[in-house]
Every structure is written in structure tokens, then in C-alpha cells.
Amino acid sequence: MPHLYIHIPFCETKCIYCDFYSVESTDEKGRFLEALLWELEERAGEAGDTVFESVFLGGGTPSLLDAGQMERLMNTLRKHYRITPDAEVTTEANPGTTSLEKLRAYRELGINRISFGVQSFHDDDLKFLSRIHTADEARESIANAHEAGFDNINLDLMFSLPGQTPQRWKANLEEARQLETKHISCYSLTVENGTALATMVRNRAVTMPPNESDALLFERTMSTMAEWGFRQYEISNYALPGYECRHNLGYWRLADYLGFGPSAHGTWNEHRRWNVSNLRSYIEACERKELPIAGGEYLTREMRQEEFIYLRLRSEGINSIEYEARFGSDFYTDRGAQLQPLLAGELLIDREGTIKLSEKGILFADEICTRLA
Amino acid sequence: MDLIRNFCIIAHIDHGKSTLADRLLETTGTITERELKTAQVLDDMDLEQERGITIKLHAIQMKYKHTDGETYTLNLIDTPGHVDFSYEVSRSLNACEGAILVVDATQGIEAQTISNLYLAVEAGLEIIPVINKVDLQSAMVDQVSQGIMELIGCKKEEIIPVSAKEGTGVPDVLRAVVERVPPPVGDPNAPLQALIFDSVYDTYRGAVVYCRVMQGTMKQGDEIKFFSNKKEFEVEEVGILHMKKIKTGELTAGDVGFMIAGVKDVGDTNVGDTITHVKGAAEKPLPGYKEVKPMVFSGIYPTTSDDFEDLREALSKLRLNDSAINYVPESSAALGFGFRCGFLGLLHMEIVQERLEREFDLSIITTVPNVEYLVYLKNSGEEVIVDNPSDMPDPAEIDYIVEPYIKAQIITPSDYMGNIMKLCMDRRGEYINTTYLDPTRADVEFELPLAEIIFDFYDKLKSVSRGYASFDYNFHENRQTDLVKLDILLNGEPVDALSSIVHRTKAYEWGRRLCRKLKDLIPRQMYEVIIQAAIGNKVIARDVVKALRKNVTAKCYGGDISRKRKLLEKQKEGKKRMKQVGTIEVPQEAFLAVLSIDD
């Protein structure tokens, strides 16, 4: 079943590492919401009778929408799109923007999953990452979410921060567990082009940890989470059984999805399309009653095969029967020459027709994708 | 014959040879200013224009009405301007009776000015000294004139001041050509002797031979043969060279022109060879013919093995026009199938590489260039020619090795003498002599192993002299020296394409630097890479590229998928450009690592 993604491009301040599209002023929030509602209404025809199994509000900081704004958004969504009653409806949220009252309202509007950008429970880390909240505010927000009735809570945490010891990182994981979150995303801090962090690294104001210690933290994360009963169902994502994010699974299973808002991508019937990555252009296009499309591509069979291979390798593995059903050819025939040495080198394992990264292979997922895809 | 003048222009690179040639054509009305456009007529290959070097020779005929009322035929024969082509230069000079020596008024006499002048004097040419760029502020007319007078022993009045750019002085040059250059001598009825000074390949006609008739007459329909290879052909067409070829039916003693005789292979029409008739042949060829021998060798491999046939095709096409290129198939354990190629010199090598990439759109890997060694074996006393380091026989079997030496002429402001001495000594040079051209400029002579100058010597020379020193060289002799083969091993496996031959005293330092350089060039990968330099079984240097421990993108969601796929495709392309040595991926640059080792 397909999925819906909505991008809310506002942030109080932009974090030094983030390369998602956002603006640091909320002045245009009202105008933006009108534009977004227009886009949702205008594109309803694309979906037709399709039933959607998840909605994801990402950003930016969707929790900057107040209860009234969120209500209008959810109402418009439900009016124009058929969303299954048991759908997963997630919003991303920044601790520090989520009062108990707001969270209660969100919950009442049918939002049933919340994903907090916590990153760390150490204030100096948060300061370095230029997060707007403190560790205590994060703890409070999570408590609020529980109180507002959210059971399905995710925390984003970040490892391989400069100077981060394995002990400090482990403390973050332990705190997340104590706060009874059912899902934890653990990202290795990555220096993305065009971010403030990239400039700091270039100017040697910041030195990133060496590859060895990044690997060590990643390995420790995997073993700790496994010990606690969290399943690593994607490179950076761990969940208790039944709490896997259905929306994100959709991406990794190559399901169709529609994307709304600036910079949002969508994939529908083998076409991918994306909106302009600029708030002003987005608003102005919608106000002119024009779709704010920036570009698109038709996904050829070859492209879809590549995407299938790398998205599946990063998550549940490549099932050869599903591969054949999708592409009408045999995976072992198509990729045999590349597959053989990877299996022989124990970077991949083949479990009854499903090719997965081995424990060693997980550390080299990119390298393996490059060889296999 | 009295109304013919055959001449050439010799100069150091960038002293204005091509510009002056253009002005002569323009002043004699051979070409209009509009036709001249911005391009310099005598250099018609892209590459030549970019480098400012005339790689291939051409000739052109001008009609000039002199003050005595007579119209003269002036044949301008162009000469290549680089040291790699000095033999070809000498043959062009032999087709002339006079040479215009151009010296830049802002630069003065340079190494190439002198080496070309020597060649011209050797060929017995009348020298017309010209001082160019006199319009520039920085022109040092008096000082440079003084240098020219001392160099060729002429009077001050004989030096013609010119600004080829502005056109001033150009009529004086034309007058001087008529008045000072002697007319050709020769007997139109004597047995035919025509000197080949160039040949180019025409897809429809075969080899087009550019020649100067010294004796006798060559007509359309004549049966002719080449002295060097005794091959016989029938002349299909002869004529002269204006902006295009003009058929005349015959060329006679004193004439410069072209000849087409259905020769399929330019390898049969060798520069310096003599054409004569099959019947009534001349007794002897013209003196001075040499077979051109490659001096510098390197392996050229396609980046992807599928392109091997395309590379072969491209090389065979290049050879049609440039018989100096030699190539034979070879195979390397590291690089697969490719060709061992021989070149006249380093510049020639660079030109061939560039043409393969630009004109034939090939992606190639070139191995470190080397010279040709003669290896004498202990037991059999046999002589083995080694032009590929990996072919070096086992050290235990070698009695001794000889390598080619050159005589280098370096002209430098005397301030940089110390630096240049040090550079040449570091390159195993042997100091011969210094002559002062004037109190500030010295002409230094060194004998150096050719192997030591085929990479980065010229760049180093320029950098230690702030760009002021100039350099020219000639092959000198073969010498016995203490050479060893240095192997590079990756994870214990020797990589043949990285082997080199070095002097024993330099081997340790060289090995150490090479390992360090390779460490920088080989990216960290899934497995540790141990780099070793070894002489025989003895490891003399070692470095390690630590294994990468993690290579994983953290995030991949809906908006990342297209970008990630494109990145993946780019990385796949990048992998294709790597060479797989066992489980190790070695980037192409590594095979040229030696070239970029800093001191």
C-alpha cells in the first residue's frame, strides 16, 4: 500500500549538520500552510481511489505547527486522500516545541507515532550540534508524549560526534531505553556538503572522529540493541517487534509514495518527481495555481533494479523470488558474477534465497552496494 | 635557378617563428590577412597551436618581387621546434641554403637558439640574424644584438630588427633572403637526388612526400625508388606547395615540392632518405640519413580491457602520419593487454597520449617511461635489449648493464648556476664545461643519463631557475652504470607495471619515496594494503594503507533515493577506472606515481 509524505520546512535554527531543506524564519508559516493545502487538494486526482497506509510529517520541524494548523492539515488530508483507519501517522518533533497540550491535540487528530530529534542526552553535545533544546527538555517532551497517549515513540540519536566516548554514547542508548521508546534511530554523524559542519571541518575548527572509532561505535550500537531485544531492520533503525516504522519500510520496499511541500519527493508508477527546494518559489507557484514541480525522472528497469538492490541490502535483504516477480529475471543470473565473490568473502549471506549483509558486511554496505547494484 | 631561394626559420620556442612566417606570407601576398585569421598558418593541428610547437614539417612557396625588378620564388621550409625532433630539424635544414635566426629581444639567446644554430652552421647555411619583438618595452635590443654578434660572428648592421606582431622590418627580411641567401646549385640533367624532409599520410592518396630536389629532375610517370629500402614506385603527381598543392608535372634541381607515388605506408618514406630514378640512378644517396630510433618507452593500456582493439586501431592510425611511433603488443599482470610504445622523447610521448585521448576518445593508462638498456649476460655473453623494466633478467645472470647518456646544454642566468649544478648532480650528471655568453648568462654543458631527464627534469630546471633556464640535448653515448631493478609489491605480490630501473645508490631513497607516494594514492579499502619496495628478494622500504573499518551511508529515505542512486552510479564508474591487483583496487594515478615524487 502506498504512503504519503509531507514536508514542513521550518526550523527555529538550522542544525550544523542538517542538509534537509528548511528556513529559519516562521514568518511565512500561514501562507505556506495555505499553499500546502492547495497542493494537497489539487493533486488528489493523482491518488484516485488508492488507500494509503501511512502519513509522515517530516521537516524541518512539523511540530512548529500549532494545534489549529495541524487540524486543518489533517482534515484536508483525510478529505482528499483515502487513509486506512489503522494507518501509521507520524510527525517529527523537536523537543522544546512540544507542550503537553500540543501533543494531546496532535494525538486527538489521529497522529499515533512521534519521532523526536533528541540526538543526545548531553547538553554539550546538543550545543555543539546547535540543537535548540536541552537534555532535560528532551526528557520532558518524551514524558509529555507518553502522557498524551503516544505509545509509538522514536528517538533519533547521533553517534561519532567529535570527542564522544563509547561510554557517553552507551549512556544515550540507555536513557532512551529507560524512557520506554519503542524505536531508536542511530545515525553516524555525517558531514554533508553545504552544511555549516562541512565548513567547520574544512577550516579545521572541527575534527571528525577517525573511521576506526566510528566503526567501533556502530558495532557496539548493534550489539547493545540486539541484547535489549531491538531488531536492526535497517542500517540505522532499531525497533521492538511490531514497532518498525511502516512509512520508512515503504521506501525500502520500493512502495509508491506521494510527497507534498517544498523539496518533497514522490514515486508513483515508476516515475519519480520532486518539488522545488525553495519556500518562496513553492508558495508563489501554488498561489499561481501551478504545481511546484522542480524535476522528475522515469525509473528504467535498470534504475529500479539498482534501487531495489541497495535499498533492500540496507534493510531486509534481497529476496530472489520477489526480485523475479518484480523484474521477470533471475537474480542469481543477473548478478551472479558480482554476487559470487561477495558471498565467498562472507560479506553477504544467502539464507534460503534471501541475500543479506553479513555482520561484517553491514560495515561495508556502501562498498557492497557499489559492487552488486 | 638563380631566382629561387630556399630557407627556413629557426628560433627558440615562443620567440616568434610562427608569427614571422605568417607575416612573410602576408607581405608577399601568398595569403590575405583575412585568411590568416587568428590562426598561424604553419601550425594546423590543434595540439601544435596550444603548445606553440610545430610538430610536423611543412613547406610553402611565395612569389616576391625584388627591388631589382625580378620576381623570386621563395620556399619557406618549416622546422619542428622541439628537442625530440632534432634529427628532423637537421633534414629540413639540409633542404635549404639559408636560415633566418630569430631571437626574442626580451629573452635573448636560449638553449634551442644555439642548438638549432649549430645544426644550421653544420648544414652550411647562410644565417640571417633577426631580433624580434623590438616593439616591446622590455626589449633589450643592444644587449641581445651583442650576444648574437658574439655567437655567430656577424656585424651589427647584419642584424635585422623586427616586430613580427606589428609587421615592422618584415620587408627587410625578405630583401635579405634574396640578397644574402645563395641560390640553389644543381644540375637538372644529373641523376636524380631528392631529399625527403617530411611525409604525411593522405587517406586517398597514400604518403605525400615533401622533398627538395638537389640534382636532376623528377617528372610525373617516372619510376623512382628510395635509397634506404630500395622500394620502387611510379610518380603519380609532383608539384609545388602554396596554400594548397599545385600540380606542375615536374620538379627540378633547386625546387621544393611534393611527390605522390601511391606509397601506402609512411614508414617507407623516411625523413632524410634520398629519392632517385630506378633507371639511371644516382650512385650515392645524399649524406646524413639515419633511421629514427625511439629513445623513450612506456606501456599504454586501455583503462577497460574491452577497449584493447580500439587502442590498436588508434595507434595504427596515428602511425600513418607519424612513423616515429613504435608499438608492439605486450601484456602486464596488473594492467592486462596493451602496447609497449617507443617515442622520440618525452614531449613526443605526451603528444601521442594526448592525441589518443582527444582524437580517439580513449581512456588510457600510461606506465612510467623508461629508456632502453643493453644488458650483457654472464654466461653466454649475450646482449639483451630491455625497454621494459619487468623484462630485466635475473640479477644473478647479469654481467653488466649500459644505459644511454645525453649531452645537455643549459643556458641560464649565472645567478642560478648553483641550483642547476645541484640539480644535474642529483641526476647523476657529469659536469663538462661552462662558457659565458655575456657576464650574466652562462652556457653549461653536462652529460646526463637520459633516464634521469625523461621525467620532471625540465619542470625542475624551470623551477630552480625561476623559469629562466633553457635546455636542449642530444644523444651522446651508451655507458656502463650500476643499475638495479626496483620492484613494488602489494600484499606480497609484485606489480609488474610499477617496476623501475634505478641506479643502486638511489634505490633506497627512491623505494622509500615511492612507497610513501603509493600510500597516499591508494585509497583505504576493505583490506589492509602492504606496500613494499624490493631489490630482488630484499625488501628495502615498506608502508601500509590501513584497512577501512566502515563504509556505510547513515540515512536513506524517500528524498535521498535518486541522489543515492546517482552517487552509486558514479562510484561504479570510478571503480571501472581502478585496476584490480588481486583484491586491491589501484587507481590509475598510482602507475605514474614515480613521476610526481617530490624531493
Side-chain angles (χ1 to χ4, degrees):
Chain A
M1 248 188 279
H3 306 263
L4 293 167
Y5 176 80
I6 292 157
H7 193 78
I8 311 294
F10 302 102
C11 282
E12 285 187 16
T13 57
K14 180 117 189 144
C15 301
I16 57 164
Y17 56 87
C18 177
D19 70 336
F20 287 108
Y21 177 67
S22 69
V23 291
E24 289 184 302
S25 153
T26 55
D27 294 352
E28 299 283 8
K29 206 160 65 167
R31 248 178 106 195
F32 160 74
L33 187 64
E34 299 310 321
L36 176 66
L37 298 182
W38 177 82
E39 191 196 1
L40 282 165
E41 197 180 322
E42 180 66 19
R43 292 177 55 191
E46 286 175 35
D49 290 339
T50 311
V51 178
F52 292 88
E53 78 161 290
S54 82
V55 177
F56 195 100
L57 309 182
T61 313
S63 54
L64 285 174
L65 294 184
D66 61 34
Q69 290 167 325
M70 188 63 92
E71 183 175 8
R72 290 190 61 207
L73 175 57
M74 296 308 292
N75 286 347
T76 305
L77 258 176
R78 291 220 166 78
K79 184 172 159 198
H80 297 287
Y81 297 86
R82 294 183 60 189
I83 299 164
T84 178
D86 66 343
E88 173 193 275
V89 184
T90 307
T91 186
E92 288 185 339
N94 248 0
T97 61
T98 47
S99 62
L100 177 59
E101 191 188 355
K102 191 190 261 180
L103 289 172
R104 277 197 173 120
Y106 281 7
R107 185 72 196 84
E108 271 165 32
L109 290 169
I111 295 173
N112 52 25
R113 184 173 183 273
I114 191 157
S115 171
F116 283 108
V118 171
Q119 317 309 353
S120 172
F121 288 103
H122 295 91
D123 283 340
D124 47 353
D125 288 346
L126 294 170
K127 207 162 165 189
F128 165 72
L129 294 169
S130 68
R131 302 290 300 177
I132 55 166
H133 59 88
T134 63
D136 277 340
E137 282 172 316
R139 294 181 185 109
E140 192 188 322
S141 292
I142 295 156
N144 286 344
H146 280 298
E147 191 165 346
F150 283 98
D151 164 51
N152 195 347
I153 299 172
N154 169 57
L155 300 191
D156 284 352
L157 294 174
M158 233 171 220
F159 64 93
S160 288
L161 307 183
Q164 189 180 43
T165 60
Q167 292 74 23
R168 258 169 97 104
W169 168 240
K170 180 97 188 272
N172 280 338
L173 291 177
E174 271 161 0
E175 182 140 10
R177 186 188 178 209
Q178 274 161 25
L179 290 165
E180 288 181 30
T181 52
K182 304 291 197 306
H183 188 289
I184 304 177
S185 300
C186 302
Y187 300 110
S188 167
L189 175 60
T190 307
V191 183
E192 302 285 356
N193 288 334
T195 59
L197 181 60
T199 311
M200 291 154 91
V201 170
R202 201 171 47 244
N203 298 340
R204 295 174 194 219
V206 167
T207 307
M208 291 296 288
N211 182 269
E212 287 78 5
S213 66
D214 181 32
L216 182 75
L217 289 181
F218 185 43
E219 283 170 335
R220 298 248 174 120
T221 308
M222 291 190 282
S223 59
T224 303
M225 298 306 280
E227 200 181 301
W228 293 344
F230 282 77
R231 196 171 73 90
Q232 182 182 21
Y233 69 104
E234 196 256 359
I235 295 287
S236 303
N237 286 278
Y238 307 83
L240 291 175
Y243 286 91
E244 293 85 5
C245 175
R246 283 156 67 191
H247 184 84
N248 288 338
L249 275 175
Y251 295 138
W252 305 327
R253 288 176 178 165
L254 285 86
D256 278 354
Y257 57 102
L258 293 177
F260 303 88
S263 83
H265 284 56
T267 305
W268 201 258
N269 282 335
E270 295 166 11
H271 283 81
R272 184 162 300 131
R273 202 169 93 178
W274 49 92
N275 280 347
V276 291
S277 291
N278 179 296
L279 180 61
R280 180 190 295 242
S281 317
Y282 175 80
I283 293 175
E284 286 174 356
C286 292
E287 286 177 352
R288 284 196 307 270
K289 310 287 178 214
E290 284 168 19
L291 289 177
I293 298 165
E297 60 184 356
Y298 169 71
L299 300 173
T300 62
R301 180 170 184 270
E302 202 179 297
M303 285 152 97
R304 282 182 285 126
Q305 279 171 329
E306 284 177 3
E307 293 186 355
F308 181 83
I309 290 171
Y310 77 74
L311 290 171
R312 281 309 177 87
L313 270 188
R314 290 174 59 87
S315 53
E316 300 161 307
I318 299 158
N319 182 296
S320 51
I321 295 165
E322 192 200 340
Y323 179 94
E324 190 162 351
R326 267 178 190 273
F327 302 110
S329 59
D330 178 45
F331 180 70
Y332 296 96
T333 314
D334 286 359
R335 290 293 196 273
Q338 298 92 314
L339 186 61
Q340 234 312 304
L342 293 167
L343 288 171
E346 295 179 344
L347 294 166
L348 291 178
I349 39 178
D350 187 345
R351 274 213 189 109
E352 291 157 11
T354 298
I355 319 296
K356 301 185 72 159
L357 294 172
S358 69
E359 238 173 79
K360 182 168 145 201
I362 284 184
L363 287 148
F364 293 99
D366 285 12
E367 171 75 27
I368 294 166
C369 288
T370 311
R371 293 195 197 177
L372 192 63
Chain B
M1 213 185 294
D2 284 347
L3 298 181
I4 296 175
R5 297 292 182 272
N6 296 320
F7 71 105
C8 59
I9 307 176
I10 53 180
H12 191 74
I13 187 167
D14 289 337
H15 279 200
K17 186 177 80 171
S18 300
T19 319
L20 179 61
D22 289 349
R23 288 292 169 220
L24 296 177
L25 299 181
E26 211 185 332
T27 310
T28 54
T30 313
I31 184 174
T32 63
E33 198 177 345
R34 193 173 50 81
E35 284 174 302
L36 200 61
K37 285 188 233 145
T38 48
Q40 287 168 343
V41 173
L42 291 181
D43 296 345
D44 60 4
M45 272 165 69
D46 279 2
L47 224 60
E48 291 181 38
Q49 286 196 359
E50 275 176 36
R51 290 171 177 266
I53 296 163
T54 310
I55 298 165
K56 285 309 247 175
L57 310 168
H58 298 269
I60 192 160
Q61 189 177 98
M62 298 173 267
K63 293 289 182 194
Y64 170 67
K65 196 160 193 294
H66 190 49
T67 43
D68 63 5
E70 298 282 359
T71 298
Y72 288 81
T73 297
L74 308 185
N75 289 310
L76 168 58
I77 294 166
D78 199 16
T79 57
H82 191 274
V83 47
D84 288 354
F85 305 95
S86 66
Y87 171 70
E88 289 182 298
V89 173
S90 78
R91 295 306 89 196
S92 300
L93 296 178
N94 272 292
C96 306
E97 280 78 34
I100 300 173
L101 174 72
V102 181
V103 181
D104 186 321
T106 66
Q107 306 285 323
I109 293 158
E110 305 267 17
Q112 235 181 318
T113 320
I114 296 181
S115 58
N116 280 336
L117 177 70
Y118 288 170
L119 291 172
V121 170
E122 213 173 290
L125 304 195
E126 177 66 32
I127 309 293
I128 301 172
V130 162
I131 179 162
N132 190 23
K133 308 193 189 176
V134 293
D135 57 309
L136 295 183
Q137 283 239 303
S138 51
M140 308 170 291
V141 179
D142 287 344
Q143 195 185 327
V144 174
S145 299
Q146 194 62 36
I148 296 174
M149 283 153 65
E150 279 169 26
L151 187 65
I152 62 176
C154 66
K155 295 199 195 81
K156 190 161 190 201
E157 308 73 69
E158 291 173 43
I159 304 172
I160 307 171
V162 162
S163 164
K165 201 169 126 239
E166 310 265 319
T168 47
V170 176
D172 299 335
V173 174
L174 286 166
R175 259 198 304 280
V177 168
V178 170
E179 288 166 6
R180 296 196 216 163
V181 175
V185 287
D187 177 0
N189 300 313
L192 176 65
Q193 282 180 315
L195 172 70
I196 302 179
F197 61 83
D198 195 15
S199 71
V200 298
Y201 187 78
D202 180 291
T203 321
Y204 303 105
R205 312 295 309 270
V208 179
V209 175
Y210 293 78
C211 59
R212 155 75 194 271
V213 180
M214 309 303 279
Q215 298 289 345
T217 302
M218 178 165 53
K219 292 195 185 76
Q220 191 175 324
D222 284 358
E223 299 278 315
I224 53 106
K225 67 176 180 186
F226 301 117
F227 255 99
S228 70
N229 53 31
K230 314 278 180 266
K231 290 192 179 167
E232 298 180 6
F233 298 91
E234 186 188 319
V235 176
E236 292 172 3
E237 202 176 309
V238 287
I240 54 165
L241 301 148
H242 274 270
M243 290 305 288
K244 51 183 185 240
K245 295 191 270 293
I246 296 170
K247 274 195 262 187
T248 55
E250 69 168 45
L251 289 174
T252 186
D255 284 345
V256 170
F258 72 91
M259 186 275 295
I260 294 169
V263 184
K264 293 282 170 287
D265 183 354
V266 283
D268 288 338
T269 56
N270 296 311
V271 169
D273 199 0
T274 305
I275 308 169
T276 192
H277 283 122
V278 174
K279 287 186 187 127
E283 277 177 27
K284 282 189 298 189
L286 297 160
Y289 173 72
K290 278 198 297 196
E291 219 176 304
V292 182
K293 273 179 61 188
M295 299 290 278
V296 175
F297 300 82
S298 128
I300 295 186
Y301 289 82
T303 309
T304 41
S305 50
D306 303 351
D307 292 343
F308 176 74
E309 282 306 322
D310 292 345
L311 177 60
R312 183 202 293 278
E313 176 91 22
L315 281 168
S316 77
K317 279 189 182 149
L318 281 184
R319 195 171 183 296
L320 286 177
N321 244 328
D322 182 354
S323 57
I325 306 173
N326 260 335
Y327 63 95
V328 287
E330 73 169 4
S331 71
S332 147
L335 300 174
F337 291 100
F339 296 92
R340 173 108 322 223
C341 302
F343 309 95
L344 296 176
L346 198 64
L347 175 87
H348 187 218
M349 179 177 102
E350 281 174 24
I351 289 166
V352 171
Q353 284 168 16
E354 236 171 284
R355 290 186 67 185
L356 287 173
E357 292 189 328
R358 270 204 226 180
E359 292 171 32
F360 297 93
D361 198 23
L362 286 167
S363 166
I364 53 172
I365 296 179
T366 324
T367 62
V368 173
N370 57 268
V371 301
E372 191 172 80
Y373 300 92
L374 296 177
V375 181
Y376 294 89
L377 302 182
K378 265 184 198 153
N379 295 332
S380 56
E382 197 189 336
E383 177 192 289
V384 184
I385 298 171
V386 174
D387 64 13
N388 181 347
S390 61
D391 294 342
M392 187 58 85
D394 189 278
E397 294 172 22
I398 298 173
D399 185 8
Y400 65 97
I401 305 173
V402 303
E403 65 173 322
Y405 265 65
I406 53 126
K407 207 182 258 301
Q409 181 155 40
I410 299 166
I411 303 228
T412 176
S414 32
D415 295 355
Y416 304 113
M417 280 281 282
N419 293 351
I420 284 165
M421 288 285 181
K422 180 171 185 309
L423 173 66
C424 291
M425 291 308 198
D426 285 349
R427 301 297 176 106
R428 298 194 276 135
E430 193 180 307
Y431 171 75
I432 302 297
N433 188 27
T434 304
T435 355
Y436 280 86
L437 298 172
D438 60 47
T440 60
R441 286 160 65 83
D443 174 354
V444 194
E445 238 183 22
F446 260 93
E447 284 169 15
L448 286 149
L450 176 61
E452 296 281 347
I453 63 155
I454 57 175
F455 43 84
D456 86 346
F457 178 78
Y458 191 67
D459 292 341
K460 281 272 155 29
L461 181 74
K462 284 286 173 191
S463 82
V464 301
S465 67
R466 299 195 174 194
Y468 283 115
S470 61
F471 160 71
D472 206 343
Y473 73 85
N474 278 302
F475 172 72
H476 183 50
E477 62 180 4
N478 276 325
R479 270 192 211 175
Q480 183 181 338
T481 49
D482 191 9
L483 298 169
V484 291
K485 179 181 165 210
L486 182 72
D487 289 318
I488 294 292
L489 294 84
L490 296 181
N491 287 355
E493 290 296 316
V495 181
D496 55 2
L498 287 173
S499 293
S500 52
I501 292 168
V502 292
H503 197 259
R504 191 180 299 277
T505 56
K506 291 180 138 197
Y508 283 83
E509 180 61 14
W510 194 246
R512 203 174 52 75
R513 283 200 214 147
L514 192 50
C515 285
R516 199 190 312 141
K517 187 77 194 174
L518 286 168
K519 183 189 169 173
D520 293 340
L521 287 171
I522 297 175
R524 290 180 70 178
Q525 32 206 290
M526 276 164 64
Y527 307 99
E528 183 178 70
V529 181
I530 297 169
I531 306 163
Q532 291 167 309
I535 300 171
N537 293 325
K538 193 175 164 204
V539 172
I540 59 167
R542 183 179 190 276
D543 246 308
V544 177
V545 180
K546 281 196 291 177
L548 197 63
R549 287 268 286 112
K550 175 174 180 272
N551 179 10
V552 192
T553 299
K555 286 191 183 192
C556 190
Y557 297 108
D560 305 318
I561 298 174
S562 286
R563 193 167 51 125
K564 171 89 171 122
R565 191 196 64 243
K566 281 169 195 156
L567 192 68
L568 199 72
E569 281 160 6
K570 225 169 93 185
Q571 284 163 347
K572 271 159 71 174
E573 274 311 303
K575 266 206 191 300
K576 272 194 206 155
R577 293 185 70 89
M578 297 272 216
K579 278 289 168 183
Q580 197 81 29
V581 178
T583 57
I584 307 164
E585 285 173 337
V586 183
Q588 290 176 41
E589 310 90 74
F591 295 99
L592 278 170
V594 190
L595 290 183
S596 51
I597 287 182
D598 291 323
D599 293 326

